[in-house]
Every structure is written in structure tokens, then in C-alpha cells.
Amino acid sequence: MVSMFRDVTYKVIIKGMTSTEEKDILNGISGSVDPGEVLALMGPSGSGKTTLLNLLGGRLNQPTVGGSITYNDGPYSKFLKSRIGFVTQDDILFPHLTVKETLTYAALLRLPKTLTKQQKQKRAMDVIYELGLERCQDTVIGGSFVRGVSGGERKRVCIGNEIIINPSILFLDEPTSGLDSTTALKTVQLLQDMAEGGKTVVTTIHQPSSRLFHKFDKLILLGKGSLLYFGKSSEAMLYFSSIGCNPLIAMNPAEFLLDLANGNINDVSVPSELDDKVQIVNSDAGKRNGKPSPAVVHEYLVEAYETRVAVKEKKKLMVPIPLDEEVKAKVSSLKRQWGASWWQQYTILFCRGIKERRHDYFSWLRITQVLSTAIILGLLWWNSDTNSLKGLQDQAGLLFFIAVFWGFFPVFTAIFTFPQERAMLSKERAADMYRLSAYFLARTTSDLPLDLVLPVLFLLVVYFMAGLRMSAAPFFLTMLTVFLSIIAAQGLGLAIGATLMDLKRATTLASVTVMTFMLAGGYFVKRVPVFVSWIRYLSFNYHTYKLLLKVQYKHMTPVLNGMRIDSGLTEVSALVAMVFGYRLLAYISLRRMKLCAQ
């Protein structure tokens, strides 16, 4: 796929306390890349290379974008998503999935519906062998606290996630960052092999070694958002020599170019034109320690490119279709092409969710926490007395603790769900891997089987040690009540996390909310003011506690601790409403966040 871009500009709007200003990130960038070529975007930090890559890859759709970008003479459209691969700088992968599982799930979600499940799985294995990952295919990816594959293998898995759809054009954001020189060379050699196979490859690179630099076919050098060079990478040194900039010592070409882009001309010969310009400026700002300042060097390089190269290069580019209205008209008339049906997306994401999170749910730390709490409670209420009112009130204290424990615990676990997966969600949604509704339902329901195990273990210990009502119906109704409380509490955690998307703020809000629910329930203050008492009806702790009392004592007393012991239909209805209401709020919050280009 041929990609051409002409006079691309990009601005960001910075809102201050009293005013709003626009900052130029890119200033009229032009260039092209053809199938079989590797184009490297190079420049110092903050030069705009990642922004340019995101624009070319269709990852930025803002009104502040100017110029034109075309792919095979056509504008960007949603149909192109299935032909474009985009590898982000950060290795965003699930740590507990193996290499084979990661690529298989990507194949099942991204490859066309016309392929069978077996054909998609075979494609995943083909990519594994193509990238040389067969030796680690059954090794987990790993992360901060999980030992897994090496850094180079992680990067290849990220590349595999994108080339699995056999894209016509592949974008990569600093694929060699964090890798040693040998691994970085292998990675770039892999990109070169892909290009030779007929693909178009565009990559940003920060400071490549000389061996890496010579493997690129074309080069774009950026400085402060302006174009300093576009052309063959092998001719870059000749061009800068022609404008009077030569290294005075033997040095890596990439290092020399980055020094120039930064305005650093130590160990670089200064052209006479630049000396003349400094003499005209004739100030400390224009010349420091007898050398031109970085600002003057940058201005000279931009002017040199504009006068000597830019006009000739722009003539080579075909006149492309403008970005704005033409793109909007075409995009609005197209529908997304999903690789799987809604139900298939849900099923795949459900299975992936269980495989990824079962390690966290059944970690020894969590099991020990739940079982030790259960044993302590069982010892404190060992064979509690149910023959006297005082004994019943003591036992009611245990039920209150159970309601509180299985209210706090799920809320603060669920809060982490969407903030922690935001990067993965953004990445996968940007590639149109699945619908947000399929992801949301799979993410929230795949926790349910896992959530049932620990409460069952907890109640098996507490229920019989404390001597609660010994018959099957009360035991299973107690378990059902606790499970309903957990799902409702999770809904609140999901809603808070999805709304704020910040763990510190979400944890603070959840602490205040749950504490308010508990205090307003009337457990500690019998006469709760009217203007506060209504909060209890929003509290899952309040409804769970009432249900537990009704399950245990319906046959014994009509009133306990001021609560009427009835059928409990009101409490069940309230908890069910919370289960769906809080989750609906979480989904709406995710939809409004606009995590990625949609």
C-alpha cells in the first residue's frame, strides 16, 4: 500500500486558567512510502515523530489536523483498519496468557468471518514460526510480578498481534526501545524482511546504531515539528554535507543527525551561511561561546530544506484528497467489518478473561485472606447461642460483619478493572477487534464463576463453626444472598472505576461511599436524620444484612433489631436493581470516555 502525505499539520489546544492557546506540533510535513520500503521517522524527544506516526496510522482524528494523507490514492476509512497494523511503543499484553494463547485470541477476533476457527488457529501458528517464537510459545508473557518471555520476544509478540491480519502497511512506535543492540538489530531485520515481502513499513526510531540506520530505505528527520530531511537514508549525509554540515570526527550517522536536529553543533563544521546569519543577529541569543544557538541552527536547517529539497519532493507526490469533508463523507457511509459475530466476540473474550484472571483470584494471598478471616469469625462466634434474644443479637453481629465484608471486598477489587485495562482496551478497540458491548459483558460476567469460589469456602467455614441455622434451605439462601451482594458491590466498583479512570480518586470515592452506606443504615446510630436516612436504600450492605436476618430468623421472631422479618422480596428487588443499574452506569461511562478512535 502506497502512503502519501502532504503539508500535514497538527495543533493541540492548551487550556490555561485565563486563556486558551494553540501549540503547533507538526508544521507542513510531506513525504511518501511505497510497498517494499521501510520509512524511519527520526528526531529528538518532542519533535513530533510519534504524533506523525499516529496521524499516518489513523489514530488521531481531530479538527486541528491539516493537510492530506492518502493510501493508494484514497483517504483513510474504517475499511482500512483491516489492512493496517499498528504496534504501540509500550508492550501492552496480558501477563498470564502464553504466547500461543495471545496470538490465537488475536487471530480469532481479527481475522475475517469467512475463515474457520481451525484456519484462524493455523494462521496464529504460522505467525509464531514466522517470528521465531516456537520455543517460547507455551511460556506466559509475564510482567512486573510475573516471570515470562524476554523483552525481544515480547516485542515480537506485539508485532505478531498486528501482522496476523497480513496488513498491507505496518506502523511501529519505537520497536527497539529497551532492547539491547543485538535484539534491536534482529527486530529491524524482521521489519526489513516484511518489507521485502511486499509490505509497507513505517517506524519511529529514537537513536539507532549505525547498523540499524543503514537498514532503513527512507528517512524523515524532524526537529521541533518541522521537516529537516526527507529522502533516502543512504543520501542523508550527502544532503547535509551539501548544506555545509559535516561531522568533524567519525561518528554514527544517526547520532550526527540527532545532534543537528537538537541544534547541537559540537564536532560539526558550521556552514558560512550560518556564520553570516549569526553575525547579522549579533546578540548573545544568536551566538553562544562563539557558536550559533540551537534556535538559529534549527531555523537554518528548515530554510535549507525548504529552498533546496521541499519543492522538488512535493512535485513527486500525487495530489491527494483532502482530509476533512471527503473523509467524513466516505467514513459515514461505511460500516465496520468485524472479524467475528457479537456472540463469538463475547465467547472469546469470556474465555480469555477467565484464563487471564484465574491466577489473581486463586492466589495464595487472596485465599489466605478469606480463609483466615473465616476462621477468626468462626472462633469468635463458635456455636453461638440461638435460644435467647441476647444470643440472637450476638449472632446478628456476625451476619452484619458478613454483609460488610462481602460489600467492601468486591468493591475495591472491581475498582481496578477498567483503569488497569484501559491501555489494552484502547489498543484493541482502535484496531476494531470487538464491540465495546461484547467486551463489557464478557469482562463483567467472566468474573462471576471465579467470584463464587471464595465466598463458598468462606461460608463453609463460618456457617458451621458459628452454628447458624442447620438446614439446606437457609444455607443455600445465605450463599445466594452473599453472592447477590457481591455482584451488586462489584457493580458499584465498576461504575466508580469506569467513571473516574484514576485509581487514587476511585479508591477515595469508594471508601467514602461504602462508609456512608454503612453508617446511614442505622447500625450504629438508631435515630438517623431524615435527610440522611434515604441513603440506606441505595446501600447493598443494608439490604444484604436485612436479607441475612430474614433467612436465619424468619421462623423464630417477627422483629429483630428493629427490622421486620418478612419475605425479603423488597431487598432482593433492590439488590437486583443495583446489579444492573450500577453496571449500566459503568457501560455508559466507558462509552462516553471515547477511549480510542471509533
Side-chain angles (χ1 to χ4, degrees), residues 394-436:
D394 284 345
Q395 204 175 73
L398 171 62
L399 299 179
F400 171 71
F401 185 87
I402 292 174
V404 170
F405 181 76
W406 290 111
F408 268 74
F409 197 68
V411 167
F412 290 97
T413 302
I415 275 176
F416 291 84
T417 300
F418 296 121
Q420 282 187 338
E421 290 192 7
R422 180 175 186 173
M424 179 66 75
L425 180 59
S426 297
K427 169 193 162 186
E428 293 183 338
R429 287 279 292 146
D432 270 359
M433 287 181 68
Y434 45 73
R435 293 174 173 87
L436 182 61

Side-chain angles (χ1 to χ4, degrees), residues 290-534:
K291 293 182 178 180
S293 70
V296 171
V297 174
H298 172 78
E299 185 182 347
Y300 170 75
L301 294 175
V302 172
E303 287 182 359
Y305 181 80
E306 286 292 330
T307 54
R308 300 184 184 219
V309 181
V311 176
K312 181 176 66 175
E313 288 294 337
K314 287 180 182 179
K315 285 182 180 179
K316 295 179 183 178
L317 303 177
M318 296 175 65
V319 179
I321 302 171
L323 273 176
D324 42 3
E325 295 185 4
E326 187 79 22
V327 171
K328 292 177 184 176
K330 189 165 185 177
V331 167
S332 61
S333 64
L334 294 175
K335 293 183 179 180
R336 289 175 172 169
Q337 298 297 304
W338 304 102
S341 66
W342 188 96
W343 177 251
Q344 289 172 331
Q345 291 174 11
Y346 168 78
T347 306
I348 294 166
L349 293 170
F350 182 89
C351 295
R352 187 179 76 171
I354 288 182
K355 279 192 175 183
E356 167 59 24
R357 289 187 296 283
R358 62 187 175 184
H359 304 276
D360 292 333
Y361 272 87
F362 302 131
S363 66
W364 283 109
L365 183 62
R366 183 170 291 196
I367 294 173
T368 303
Q369 178 187 9
V370 171
L371 288 182
S372 60
T373 303
I375 291 170
I376 292 171
L377 291 176
L379 292 174
L380 288 173
W381 275 273
W382 177 264
N383 285 331
S384 52
D385 178 24
T386 57
N387 296 321
S388 65
L389 183 60
K390 187 177 185 306
L392 289 180
Q393 288 175 337
D394 284 345
Q395 204 175 73
L398 171 62
L399 299 179
F400 171 71
F401 185 87
I402 292 174
V404 170
F405 181 76
W406 290 111
F408 268 74
F409 197 68
V411 167
F412 290 97
T413 302
I415 275 176
F416 291 84
T417 300
F418 296 121
Q420 282 187 338
E421 290 192 7
R422 180 175 186 173
M424 179 66 75
L425 180 59
S426 297
K427 169 193 162 186
E428 293 183 338
R429 287 279 292 146
D432 270 359
M433 287 181 68
Y434 45 73
R435 293 174 173 87
L436 182 61
S437 56
Y439 163 81
F440 181 82
L441 196 62
R443 183 63 182 85
T444 53
T445 55
S446 61
D447 289 336
L448 300 184
L450 303 173
D451 284 328
L452 186 58
V453 177
L454 290 182
V456 169
L457 293 176
F458 178 89
L459 286 176
L460 283 173
V461 174
V462 171
Y463 200 92
F464 298 105
M465 286 183 70
L468 295 174
R469 192 176 166 194
M470 292 296 176
S471 58
F475 174 75
F476 286 109
L477 284 174
T478 299
M479 189 172 294
L480 186 61
T481 299
V482 169
F483 191 45
L484 195 56
S485 172
I486 289 170
I487 304 174
Q490 273 186 340
L492 176 63
L494 292 171
I496 292 174
T499 302
L500 298 181
M501 278 296 179
D502 179 87
L503 288 179
K504 286 185 177 180
R505 290 191 297 159
T507 305
T508 303
L509 178 59
S511 301
V512 174
T513 303
V514 174
M515 194 66 66
T516 303
F517 282 172
M518 188 172 62
L519 293 175
Y523 312 123
F524 305 105
V525 182
K526 296 300 179 184
R527 293 184 178 179
V528 180
V530 178
F531 58 85
V532 178
S533 61
W534 61 270

Side-chain angles (χ1 to χ4, degrees), residues 200-344:
T200 305
V201 179
V202 182
T203 178
T204 62
I205 199 90
H206 184 60
Q207 192 163 356
S209 65
S210 55
R211 288 191 299 174
L212 292 187
F213 180 82
H214 291 298
K215 288 188 176 294
F216 301 130
D217 299 296
K218 284 183 176 178
L219 173 71
I220 280 181
L221 181 64
L222 297 174
K224 297 180 182 178
S226 298
L227 191 58
L228 305 183
Y229 176 77
F230 166 68
K232 294 181 179 179
S233 58
S234 57
E235 298 176 358
M237 296 298 288
L238 292 175
Y239 163 72
F240 285 102
S241 176
S242 70
I243 63 172
C245 298
N246 291 294
L248 297 176
I249 59 173
M251 58 195 308
N252 176 359
E255 187 177 352
F256 166 71
L257 296 178
L258 286 172
D259 278 349
L260 281 179
N262 272 313
N264 177 16
I265 55 172
N266 292 327
D267 302 318
V268 176
S269 62
V270 179
S272 58
E273 296 95 330
L274 195 54
D275 266 338
D276 294 341
K277 192 167 186 178
V278 171
Q279 291 170 7
I280 294 171
V281 173
N282 193 24
S283 67
D284 291 338
K287 192 169 184 178
R288 297 180 304 178
N289 299 324
K291 293 182 178 180
S293 70
V296 171
V297 174
H298 172 78
E299 185 182 347
Y300 170 75
L301 294 175
V302 172
E303 287 182 359
Y305 181 80
E306 286 292 330
T307 54
R308 300 184 184 219
V309 181
V311 176
K312 181 176 66 175
E313 288 294 337
K314 287 180 182 179
K315 285 182 180 179
K316 295 179 183 178
L317 303 177
M318 296 175 65
V319 179
I321 302 171
L323 273 176
D324 42 3
E325 295 185 4
E326 187 79 22
V327 171
K328 292 177 184 176
K330 189 165 185 177
V331 167
S332 61
S333 64
L334 294 175
K335 293 183 179 180
R336 289 175 172 169
Q337 298 297 304
W338 304 102
S341 66
W342 188 96
W343 177 251
Q344 289 172 331

